[in-house]
C-alpha cells in the first residue's frame, strides 16, 4: 500500500472514475481487500493510471472508488486487459451491483 | 469560485460525502450551476465544511459531488440548516434522483 495524495483540480484533463459498489455488510471488508489487491497488483501498473482511493461507508453497505486516469482511452484499455478482467469479475461476484461512471471535474470549492 | 485543491488522505478522520445526481442531459448544466451557487453561497460558510468538488459526465446524465466535512455531525447539521434546505429542494426538483452517502477513506494507491 503506497502512500499517495490524490489532488482534485478542475481543467486538468484528468478522467475521473467514480465507482459505487453496493455490498452486503458481511462482505464489505472482503471487497475492500480485493479492490486493494487488484489496484496494487494490476491497476497501478497500467498505462495512464494516476491514482485510486477506496472508501467505505460506516453502515457496511457500500464501497466507493474515486480513481483518476489520464484519459478515457487509458481507462477503456484497462477494461480490455485480461489481468484486470480477472479482478473485476471477482469483485462483481461479491457485490449486489457496481456503478462505474467517468467524469470530468467542473469546479472545486473550499471553506470560506 | 474559489481555487482549492482537495487532498484525499486515509486516516484523516474526514467525513466524505459522495452524492451522485442522475439528471436529464438538458438539465445537467443548470444542475451544475445550482450546486455551484449553493456551495458558494451557503455550504462553504457552514461549520465543518472542508471542500466540495463538482463533476459531470460527458454523456450529460450525471453530476457527482465529492465533498469533505470535518464530521458526520457537521454534515447532519447542514441538512437541518434552512438555507441549505432551500438549495437542496431546488436541486431535488431538477433531478431524477440523488444518492448521497457518507464514507471514510480506507486506502489510496498511486501509479507504480
Amino acid at each position: 500500500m503506497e502512500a499517495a495524495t490524490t489532488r482534485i483540480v478542475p481543467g486538468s484533463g484528468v478522467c475521473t472514475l467514480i465507482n459505487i459498489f453496493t455490498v452486503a455488510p458481511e462482505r464489505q471488508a472482503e471487497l475492500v481487500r480485493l479492490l486493494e489487491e487488484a489496484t496494487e497488483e494490476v491497476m497501478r501498473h497500467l498505462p495512464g493510471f494516476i491514482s485510486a482511493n477506496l472508501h467505505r461507508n460506516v453502515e457496511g453497505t457500500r464501497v466507493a472508488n474515486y480513481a483518476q486516469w489520464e484519459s478515457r482511452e487509458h481507462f477503456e484499455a484497462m477494461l480490455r486487459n485480461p489481468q484486470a478482467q480477472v479482478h473485476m469479475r471477482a469483485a462483481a461476484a461479491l457485490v449486489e451491483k457496481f456503478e462505474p461512471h467517468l467524469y470530468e471535474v467542473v469546479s472545486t470549492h473550499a471553506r470560506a
Side-chain angles (χ1 to χ4, degrees), chain A residues 8-55:
Chain A
I8 303 177
V9 182
S12 63
V14 162
C15 174
T16 302
L17 165 72
I18 303 178
N19 196 351
I20 309 286
F21 300 82
T22 307
V23 65
E26 63 271 21
R27 289 182 162 175
Q28 191 198 41
E30 186 180 353
L31 175 62
V32 167
R33 258 196 317 274
L34 191 153
L35 295 172
E36 286 178 345
E37 277 176 28
T39 306
E40 285 297 309
E41 291 171 14
V42 179
M43 303 298 181
R44 68 190 284 260
H45 303 277
L46 295 179
F49 178 91
I50 298 171
S51 71
N53 299 272
L54 296 173
H55 303 66

Side-chain angles (χ1 to χ4, degrees), chain A residues 7 9 24 34 65-66 106:
Chain A
R7 296 158 58 92
V9 182
L34 191 153
N65 183 16
Y66 184 98
V106 184

